[in-house]
């Protein structure tokens, strides 16, 4: 478990886990139109950036949909908590997800 997940656990926000048979990947790996559930935010993201993602709705257990990618694949637009937000691939690689049908 990452340090950030440990801090969230202490704050009564527990990270989600993939069920058996679900693929564990990152937001950057998803294709446009696919849906996933956020599992965790990795440690290699700056704490201020991780906090900002949580404030924007990228919290463990939240459902995310990939809306579209820019022509050069950066940034990527995601729909989370009813809003569309764009993240760079570097940031999207720090958010672990599992696929949802």
């Amino acid at each position: 478990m990452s340090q950030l997940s440990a801090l969230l656990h202490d704050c009564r926000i527990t990270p989600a886990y993939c069920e058996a048979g679900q693929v564990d990947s990152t937001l950057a790996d998803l294709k446009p139109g696919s849906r996933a559930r956020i599992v965790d935010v990795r440690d290699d993201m700056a704490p201020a950036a991780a906090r900002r993602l949580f404030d924007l709705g990228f919290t463990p257990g939240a459902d995310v949909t990939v809306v579209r990618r820019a022509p050069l694949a950066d940034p990527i637009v995601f729909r989370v908590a009813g809003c569309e937000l764009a993240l760079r691939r570097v940031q999207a690689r720090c958010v672990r997800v599992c696929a949802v049908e």
Side-chain angles (χ1 to χ4, degrees):
M1 187 182 313
S2 69
Q3 292 176 350
L4 187 56
S5 294
L7 286 172
L8 289 174
H9 188 279
D10 293 341
C11 296
R12 304 289 188 255
I13 301 174
T14 57
Y17 296 99
C18 293
E19 295 176 14
Q22 288 182 321
V23 177
D24 187 19
S25 61
T26 67
L27 282 177
D29 300 330
L30 300 175
K31 305 288 184 221
S34 59
R35 293 181 51 223
R37 181 163 291 123
I38 297 175
V39 175
D40 193 12
V41 177
R42 294 188 344 210
D43 287 349
D44 42 343
M45 178 176 267
R51 175 62 192 192
R52 183 67 178 147
L53 286 180
F54 284 111
D55 291 343
L56 291 172
F58 289 89
T59 57
D63 289 335
V64 179
T65 304
V66 181
V67 177
R68 64 184 166 272
R69 289 180 179 265
L72 297 176
D74 199 22
I76 308 167
V77 179
F78 300 97
R79 183 175 295 120
V80 62
C83 298
E84 290 185 1
L85 304 163
L87 295 179
R88 294 187 179 276
R89 279 186 298 178
V90 172
Q91 295 167 324
R93 279 191 206 110
C94 293
V95 181
R96 290 184 346 154
V97 296
C98 56
V100 175
E101 283 84 38

